[in-house]
Structure formats: C-alpha cells, structure tokens
Amino acid sequence: MKKIRIAQIGITHEHAAGKLETLRRLSDVFEIAGVVDDTATVHTPVFGNPAGFPWKEEPRLTLEQVLEDSSIEAVTVEMPNDECVPAALRCMERGKAIHMDKPGGTDGALYKKLLDGCQARKLPFQIGYMFRGNPAMAFALEAVAKGWLGNVVGVQASMIHDYGNADYQHYLSGFPGGIIYNLGCHFIDFFIQLLGCPEKIASFLQDGPNAAAGSGNLALTVFQYPHAIATIRAFDQEPFGSRRVRIDGDMGLMEWMPVERFDGHPLEVTLALREGNECYTAGWHQIPLGPVCDRYETQLLEFARVIRGEAQDSYTRQHDYDVHRAVLAASGIRPWHK
C-alpha cells in the first residue's frame, strides 16, 4: 500500500521528538517528507532542548515548502501550544490532513474556525491528547458504557510529575491556566468522553512551594455533574511523579497507577465489582492490559486509516470543541456554559 507522505511542522512542542520517533517506527505507513525547524520563529516559552532534537536523516523544510508541496498529504503540527492553530489553519487551507498537538490555544474562536474548516472540507483532523491510545482509558470507557460500575459518582485523576524546575515553571507561566492548561487538558478530554459535558467547572490554581511566581504549578480542577464529581489534581514537584486514575460507581470501581507505562510490562487495572457480568465475576480483579511500547502509535495509525478512508474518526469535531471549551474554562480563560 502506498505510504502517506507527511511532514512535521515544529520541533518545540513537548511531544515533538516523541511524535517524530513514532512516525519513524511506522515507516511502513508514513514517508517523512521533512521537518520544519520553528525555533527561530516561536513567540511563547519553550520547555526542553530543541537544539538536541533528534533530526536523523529528515530534510529540513520551511513551512512554505510544506504548504506548496502537493505530494505532502498530511502534517503533524508540533509548535508551542499557542502557535499550533495558526499553522494548522494554513495547512487546512491547502487541503492537508492535520494531526495537531494539544491543547488548541487560548483563542477559542480561532480553534473553532480550524475545526469547522476541516469538517467543511472533509479533511482529517486529530488533536494529540496523549491518552487517546491508552488501553486502560479504553477499557474504562467500555466498562462504564456497559454499566459494570453502575452509576459513576466520582472520578479522581492526578497529573503529577517530578521534573518541575525553574525552566519548566517559566514555561507554565506563559499559559493563563498553568499546569491545568498544559497537562490537565489530557484528563479533561477523558472526562468528557466518560461523562459528557459537566454542569459546572471550577479550578483552584496557585504556585507551589519554591515555585516561580505566576507558574500555576499546583492545581485542583473540579467538574460537577448532576450525580457525580470528577477532579484533577496537578503538581510538578512531587517525588516519584505518581499519576493515577480512580473511577467509583455504585456497583464497582476501577483504579490504575501508573496511568501509562512503556517499559515492556503491561499496564494493570484494578477492577472491583459488586455483581458479576459477562466477562468478570463479582469481587476484585487485577487485569493486565498491554504492554504498550509507544504512546502515540495507536492514534497515528488511526490517523492513517482515516486519511485512506478505511475508518471513521473516533472523535467528532463537536467533542474536540467541547473539550477545548472545558480546558479554557478550567484555565480561567473563559466562563463555562454547558
């Protein structure tokens, strides 16, 4: 089957290096036309070391070269968070399929223009929320949809890591929502898949101990539903960087930590059921899922199938827009209206 010719626009997003490595691993699906070095043009803080970006043999292209090359069918947009959408809009206007990294910028109207434009042109669009290929998330969505947990009354998610430092906090300070805007968005995407749009959203955002002023690196976000509450706790300086999810229902619960792993061992989910079902007996179960070797592979393979017309996108543009509205509300950028 003919490979999809793809270019990566940007090397400054936190996920840029990982995304390129995944495209390389999927060399039977994608042909990498080249990479656009955006380090001289970005206007927002960057975290990491773009100078150490793993170029390998990929040609260095300009954005104009990507836009003008009709043989390039698709792009990954990996620029800083607030600069992805303008570049993606230019790609949309040239009819290119777009995988754009999260979270969609602080301008809700501009992001909606991108989503509406891709839908009107029937262009594949995919936003890179990193848990969309996570097997535990997929298992949880299936279990809740089948009613195994009964009525979900609570979700607790922690987005914790231990690489907080002055550079990272300077990076966070460039976003109105700090760590919730930058990292909490991944769980917001999951919450809206799991429970739909909430009635209310409230965030408590502040600077942690010894943190740079205005970094917003310590946060709690609450999604209120008619009969459930979902929370995200986030901090960037916790030893061991534990990330976990717990889902409680009136007929059972699920929990897993870590949220993802790529060390060759399977991700494990704890499932406890009051009553048995077609797959599991009542009681406690440890369920191995995986192993998973690559965070982005599942999503990019779906991107390829959608481009080829072999599959429908798993996410609608309305879902993508609802997630973005919720991210902006949780970040204090705009009010929430269900």
Side-chain angles (χ1 to χ4, degrees), residues 244-291:
R244 69 179 69 202
V245 179
R246 179 180 171 116
I247 303 172
D248 289 289
D250 57 8
M251 295 296 289
L253 66 86
M254 295 181 65
E255 186 170 23
W256 65 98
M257 184 190 77
V259 170
E260 54 184 354
R261 64 188 304 172
F262 309 105
D263 59 0
H265 296 285
L267 191 62
E268 276 202 347
V269 171
T270 298
L271 173 68
L273 300 172
R274 180 175 293 183
E275 298 178 356
N277 57 48
E278 66 273 22
C279 297
Y280 298 98
T281 59
W284 291 82
H285 304 269
Q286 288 297 122
I287 303 168
L289 303 168

Side-chain angles (χ1 to χ4, degrees), residues 177-191:
I179 198 167
I180 287 297
Y181 176 81
N182 187 52
L183 286 181
C185 61
H186 295 293
F187 277 129
I188 291 173
D189 181 53
F190 176 61
F191 285 2

Side-chain angles (χ1 to χ4, degrees), residues 105-107 175-182 188 201-206 219-223 323-336:
T106 53
D107 186 331
F175 312 130
I179 198 167
I180 287 297
Y181 176 81
N182 187 52
I188 291 173
I201 298 174
S203 283
F204 305 87
L205 191 69
Q206 63 189 63
L220 174 69
T221 292
V222 181
F223 278 41
V323 170
H324 192 246
R325 290 192 307 113
V327 170
L328 296 185
S331 302
I333 297 170
R334 60 184 287 180
W336 172 252

Side-chain angles (χ1 to χ4, degrees), residues 186-243:
H186 295 293
F187 277 129
I188 291 173
D189 181 53
F190 176 61
F191 285 2
I192 291 181
Q193 291 176 70
L194 189 73
L195 298 173
C197 288
E199 299 291 325
K200 297 179 182 178
I201 298 174
S203 283
F204 305 87
L205 191 69
Q206 63 189 63
D207 302 334
N210 306 312
S215 63
N217 70 323
L218 176 62
L220 174 69
T221 292
V222 181
F223 278 41
Q224 185 177 6
Y225 293 88
H227 302 289
I229 293 175
T231 62
I232 303 169
R233 186 173 70 89
F235 184 48
D236 74 329
Q237 292 178 303
E238 184 171 299
F240 313 113
S242 60
R243 293 177 175 178

Side-chain angles (χ1 to χ4, degrees), residues 6-7 9 13 15 19 74-91 97-107 110-112 114-115 118 124-130 132 181 186 299-300 303 320 324:
I6 193 167
I9 299 171
H13 195 281
H15 296 165
K19 208 65 61 77
V75 294
T76 55
V77 182
E78 298 292 328
M79 300 173 74
N81 290 330
D82 278 358
E83 303 191 31
C84 286
V85 174
L89 279 166
R90 296 189 66 188
C91 295
I98 300 164
H99 170 97
M100 186 188 81
D101 227 310
K102 57 82 185 175
T106 53
D107 186 331
L110 198 64
Y111 182 65
K112 189 171 191 306
L114 174 63
L115 295 179
C118 287
F125 173 83
Q126 188 180 75
I127 186 162
Y129 288 118
M130 65 189 184
R132 288 190 172 185
Y181 176 81
H186 295 293
Q299 197 175 17
L300 287 174
F303 185 50
D320 290 339
H324 192 246

Side-chain angles (χ1 to χ4, degrees), residues 1 4 301-313:
M1 186 174 292
I4 295 168
L301 284 174
E302 179 176 287
F303 185 50
R305 290 194 296 272
V306 173
I307 290 171
R308 288 174 169 159
E310 300 169 355
Q312 295 292 316
D313 195 334

